[in-house]
Amino acid sequence: MIDQELLARLDQWHEENQHKKILQEVQGLPEEIQKEYEIQGRLARALNNLGKYNEAIQVLESTREAGAQDDRWWSRMGFALYHQNRNNEARKCFLRAQELNPENQDAKNFLIWLGVSTNGIVKNDKKEKPDHKPRLQAIQKPNGWEDRTEAPRLVKPKEEETANGWEQKKAPAQAKPQAGGNGNDWEGRGWEGTALLETALFGVLRFPVKEGLFQTFPLPLRGKSRMVDLFIWDGLAQPPRWEAIQSLLNAIPELYQKARARIEADHRSNQVIEFFIRDQVEEMDEDALTGALGVQHREEITPERFLDALEPRGITLAPAKDGGIDCIFDFSLDPEITDELLVIRFGQNQEITDICHES
């Protein structure tokens, strides 16, 4: 019989975002325990949250028969496939997850992003430019939750999973649903209003103002779709700020171009950028660095080649010191090999106000 204390420990580490620790723990278990379905499910979940989608798929395939009637299995598989741009396969997985558990909100969200209505019909991917201003109203219910008859909730925060998938805030440990449960125990916690924004890039953003937003989106950058984390600080999206937030979000393509142009123009004269490049070129593991940059030896790396590999991994909207809103781009190499960031900060006027190096 599976050790419930072990499962609770793995779940607690998940709550604390210690996904690597989950991998280490599972890898250290006796083989017969490692193969337990609930252990393998938590392993796949951790691998997904670490961006190791191929490995997650391998783990899930090994438990396909046991997970055939488990909507969590199908959601986890769909999540991994979605992030490999295998959208047709991901769509089938999320449809199956929704079939097994109609309350699987994450399956609903992913199906919306994949252009599938709640009845499984693929929608027209063409989007007309809205001819109206965004609806700027707070939505509050007595129990702090939205009616299910309203527009679908499009929040997929942190790519981190509760029993039902990837949700904004997780239930306390004592309220976690049991395996196979509906996973909706985190609802109705008295949120102080819901932001509802219509954006050109991200569609409808609907999230609790008090909790903020942490969601991953595919963004077309330099001719290729890349997954970028979008953060909106908790409490920031009060109704008077919604128009300013929408303007910054809609300007992200232009801000990205401005940031990249500044980096490329100033990398030899700006001490922060120059140090950021030199520090990583000199200090990073050579195999990881040369692999990321497509060269054979460290000596082949030029500043221009290094900068060409930089991409935004996170975009944050945060309160500014002057009372406005900052839009912050975190540029880095592959986050699997480095946590060093070159941070470009824009003010509400969409001009660069600061460049710094963080880790």
Side-chain angles (χ1 to χ4, degrees), residues 274-286 289 298 301 306:
E274 191 271 337
F275 174 80
F276 174 77
I277 299 171
R278 185 179 71 248
D279 178 63
Q280 291 196 79
V281 170
E282 293 177 355
E283 300 298 331
M284 278 185 63
D285 176 79
E286 182 165 6
L289 181 62
R298 195 187 300 268
I301 300 172
F306 182 93

Side-chain angles (χ1 to χ4, degrees), residues 10 43 122 133 148 172 221 278 288 332 351:
L10 297 177
L43 175 60
V122 179
K133 292 184 177 180
R148 290 303 181 188
L221 303 174
R278 185 179 71 248
S332 78
E351 297 298 327

Side-chain angles (χ1 to χ4, degrees), residues 126-191:
K126 294 181 180 179
K127 294 182 180 179
E128 296 182 1
K129 185 176 179 181
D131 58 2
H132 54 81
K133 292 184 177 180
R135 296 190 298 274
L136 302 178
Q137 71 270 20
I139 300 174
Q140 290 181 293
K141 302 293 179 184
N143 65 355
W145 184 245
E146 302 86 35
D147 290 339
R148 290 303 181 188
T149 55
E150 294 176 354
R153 183 169 172 269
L154 297 181
V155 178
K156 180 193 57 153
K158 291 191 180 178
E159 296 184 2
E160 289 174 2
E161 183 190 356
T162 64
N164 225 12
W166 298 263
E167 288 294 346
Q168 175 83 15
K169 292 288 184 179
K170 306 173 190 69
Q174 67 271 20
K176 287 186 73 121
Q178 298 299 314
N182 289 335
N184 289 323
D185 292 347
W186 47 269
E187 294 182 9
R189 294 185 292 117
W191 287 332

Side-chain angles (χ1 to χ4, degrees), residues 23-56:
L23 264 61
Q24 293 168 356
E25 177 78 3
V26 172
Q27 291 166 355
L29 294 173
E31 185 175 357
E32 64 274 13
I33 297 179
Q34 283 191 39
K35 291 181 177 179
E36 290 281 351
Y37 176 73
E38 290 296 336
I39 297 294
Q40 291 289 288
R42 284 160 173 79
L43 175 60
R45 180 178 66 183
L47 289 167
N48 267 336
N49 284 321
L50 290 168
K52 298 179 181 292
Y53 307 119
N54 280 330
E55 295 178 45

